[in-house]
């Protein structure tokens, strides 16, 4: 599997003790490089304002640019809880560039890729950076796909946290399905936040008790999401917001889920993209344990490179009752 990243992505918040650290790409890339099946490719560019503006109004882009340029050391962005320094704007542009390049590659040869990028993006709302995020990487790609191909896009978010920024983009051909701890940061994504737009786009939130969920239940709920996406949405592209802070032991998240779940999830996503015949791209969101991130990416690569898929460890009966009720409501709706 090709892992697309950029050498400069470690320059944002270098030298800080912040959990969203340069090591999340630099050490992960270094560890992955030693694995035969992984090709680390540096394919990036600085996304320009017009690209960022697919999601973010120019006045917000200007705020980020100005505050990064003027930052003395590391300073909080005025719109929310994300630290920036003088290099952050450039790094954030290159993160978006890496995601776009990774998708181009996947379109070219139909092989799924993993975009190993930071800062993450799913908390970034159009006019508000927050939650360690400046620009909504996956959202910008989704809008880019809409504009360039007209294809409908499904964003599947496995991160521990709810992607409030991505949810804000649902509609006009973009659907968003997320499993996440709730109530937890950022507070959105509760059981009542479900929607189906007139154009048929879906907002599906699967809030999980922050005390955790069984690995079998976690995998089973994504199997069920995949069925809904396949039968009802039939998107032209699958984007996975891949945050690994759901893994047991993550210092920020931790839903008690086994690291091996990534293999079962990749099998589900591979089957979904395969049966629809559409491109599949993973984009890094959170995940603050280096070993869990490396291990999870290797599990995903094992599925896509060697077709390795053990018998499903999904157990539909392990899906919590309140989530089964949400699924039933969605499946019964028109
Ligand atoms: Zn997260």
């Amino acid at each position: 599997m090709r892992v697309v990243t950029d050498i400069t992505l470690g320059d944002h918040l270098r030298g800080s003790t912040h959990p969203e650290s340069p090591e999340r790409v630099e050490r992960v890339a270094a560890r992955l490089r030693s694995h035969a099946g992984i090709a680390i490719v540096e394919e990036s560019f600085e996304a320009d304002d017009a690209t960022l503006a697919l999601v973010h109004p120019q006045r917000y882009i200007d705020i980020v640019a100005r505050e990064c340029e003027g930052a003395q050391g590391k300073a909080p962005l005025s719109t929310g809880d994300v630290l920036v320094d003088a290099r952050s704007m450039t790094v954030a542009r290159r993160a978006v560039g890496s995601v776009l390049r990774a998708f181009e590659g996947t379109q070219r040869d139909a092989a799924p890729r993993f975009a190993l990028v930071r800062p993450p993006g799913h908390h970034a709302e159009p006019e508000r950076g927050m939650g360690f995020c400046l620009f909504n990487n996956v959202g910008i790609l989704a809008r880019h796909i809409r504009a360039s191909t007209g294809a409908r896009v499904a964003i599947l978010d496995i991160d521990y946290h709810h992607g409030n920024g991505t949810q804000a983009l649902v509609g006009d051909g973009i659907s968003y399905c997320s499993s996440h701890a709730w109530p937890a940061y950022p507070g959105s994504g509760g059981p009542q936040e479900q929607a189906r737009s007139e154009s048929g786009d879906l907002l599906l939130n699967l809030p999980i008790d922050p005390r955790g969920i069984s690995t079998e239940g976690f995998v089973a709920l994504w199997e069920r999401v995949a069925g809904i996406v396949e039968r009802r949405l039939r998107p032209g592209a699958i984007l996975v917001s891949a945050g690994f802070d759901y893994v047991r032991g993550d210092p920020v998240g931790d839903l008690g889920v086994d690291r091996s779940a990534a293999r079962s999830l990749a099998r589900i996503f591979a089957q979904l993209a395969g049966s629809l015949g559409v491109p599949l791209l993973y984009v890094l969101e959170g995940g603050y344990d280096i070993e869990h991130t490396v291990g999870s990416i290797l599990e995903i690569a094992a599925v896509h490179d060697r077709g390795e898929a053990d018998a499903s460890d999904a157990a539909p009966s392990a899906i919590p009752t309140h989530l089964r009720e949400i699924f039933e409501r969605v499946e019964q709706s028109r």
Side-chain angles (χ1 to χ4, degrees), residues 183-201:
Y185 183 90
S188 51
Q192 303 310 319
E193 289 180 52
Q194 318 290 345
R196 180 105 189 168
S197 78
E198 294 214 342
S199 51
D201 307 306

Side-chain angles (χ1 to χ4, degrees), residues 122-123 131-132 157 159-162 185 243-246 250 252-253 285-288:
H122 72 157
H123 294 306
F132 314 166
D157 190 334
D159 190 279
Y160 174 92
H161 301 95
H162 180 243
Y185 183 90
F244 302 113
D245 39 9
Y246 64 81
D250 184 274
V252 174
E285 297 286 357
Y288 304 96

